[in-house]
Amino acid sequence: MKKMSLVLLLCLSPCVWGDGLPDLGDVSQAALTPLQERQIGQQSMLQIRASKQYLDDPEVNDYLNQLGYKLVENSPEPGLGFEFFAVNDYSINAFAMPGGFVGVNAGLLLTTKSESELASVLAHEISHVTQHHLARMIEGQQGDSLISMATIAIAILAARTNPQASEAAIVSAQARSIQKQLNYTRSYEEEADRIGLQLLRKSGFDTHAMPEFLERLQNSTRLLEGNAPNYMRTHPITSDRIAEIENRVQNDPYRLIPDSLSFQLVRTKLIAAQKTAPEAIAFFSEALGSQKYGNPIAQRYGLISALLRNNEIAHAAQELSILRKQAKDSPMARNNPMIETLAGQVIRAEKNDAATQAFYRTAVQNFPQHRALIYDYADLLLQDNQAEKAVKLLSDQVGIHPSDTALYDLQARAYEMQGKTLEQHQAQAYSYAWQGNLYAAMEQLEMAKQAGGSFYQLSTIESDLRELREMQDAQGKR
Ligand SMILES: [Zn+2]
């Protein structure tokens, strides 16, 4: 198996790709290059992961990426390499960072009433990125001084996520002064709305969803008095702005576009996550009982996962057989990887026998991209002492998702079982590095070095260590 090094994976602070390049850890007053924008975005991502704001659920994140990419395909920069991710925060916010990193709060996902509304928020954020709004604002205010990318990353995070929470993280006056000037201007908002609407239209969503969502936010905020969601602080919503969007969509036909089942299931997950297991059981049972509102497949999905959490396996299995019957009759649900993943969890909780293994082999074949399923199957293989199979399965996935820490954790377990100490600590190091814990990552790499290996392996570890030290220095400069 070909191993990638951290240098290639992260490529954060000084990524020296040729002679004569300036120190890329700093940004001069010249325009930001796409690479620098990407690096600033990466730095911000690491901060988000380190602060535990990152909602580490591959099903929620994969869903956001699927939806986001439907829009990106129709954007002026389809090749930019966007990454959409959920933020574990139930307040209403969504934000874009340079280089294509778009965060969506759990609270915003639950506030949207249709998939088109969620798409309208993503389309607006995508347009801030493709129009390079943040980069233009940073360029406009630097003056003569050099600013480290880490400083910019911190300032952007503070300006975009939760300003109260990140106040403490801003150690330098420089970051603070940049942060204050990063609120989008009216003309940037107008541009993001206009281009966002084009994306929505081209991608087949209901364009009326954009003004409807903003109007609802605006109305709900009137009641909050001074407690406006962060989203409204960073993307000021005025009646003028809404009127302008309404004007732009007035000739578009109203389209009733059914929400995907994944949209419903992801929302179900986020609702359940706010409740204890018994609360969630009561909530979804009641919703199913009343049969008045909502999607019964999503509600039963919520009930089954709550029953599992509460260790009521037999009841969960009972409900699962109902769900699978219902799913068979629904074209949307017949082939849904989230339902398959939940089914696997119930089957595994019941017993682990040859049939369980067979279920996973088939499911992984049917949904080779569904990470949640891969995690569970790899875990099952490791429980069964089939480390080699697990390594093969995980290595393929790491190639596709190089920043997935859960995959590295499973890899480390598999290598440990095989007695491959160098590989074990190296995988653990990558997991820590992507969690933003650079110190722990370096410790693991030192252990990997001590375990010994081929010349090639050891030189990869050396260059990873160098890269991590440089990243830590760059962060120290902020
Ligand atoms: Zn905006």
Side-chain angles (χ1 to χ4, degrees), residues 147-166:
I147 305 173
S148 82
M149 286 207 223
T151 302
I152 297 175
I154 291 281
I156 290 174
L157 264 188
R160 286 294 168 270
T161 58
N162 187 342
Q164 288 86 27
S166 27

Side-chain angles (χ1 to χ4, degrees), residues 231-250:
Y231 185 74
M232 302 198 44
R233 190 177 45 80
T234 52
H235 309 265
I237 302 173
T238 60
S239 303
D240 280 357
R241 187 181 152 202
I242 296 175
E244 201 167 330
I245 301 172
E246 273 167 348
N247 212 15
R248 286 184 197 282
V249 302
Q250 64 176 341

Side-chain angles (χ1 to χ4, degrees), residues 184-204:
Y184 291 125
T185 61
R186 254 189 76 177
S187 67
Y188 284 157
E189 282 307 284
E190 193 267 339
E191 192 173 50
D193 287 339
R194 182 168 51 81
I195 294 174
L197 273 178
Q198 290 169 5
L199 298 189
L200 269 187
R201 200 174 284 128
K202 276 194 210 160
S203 315

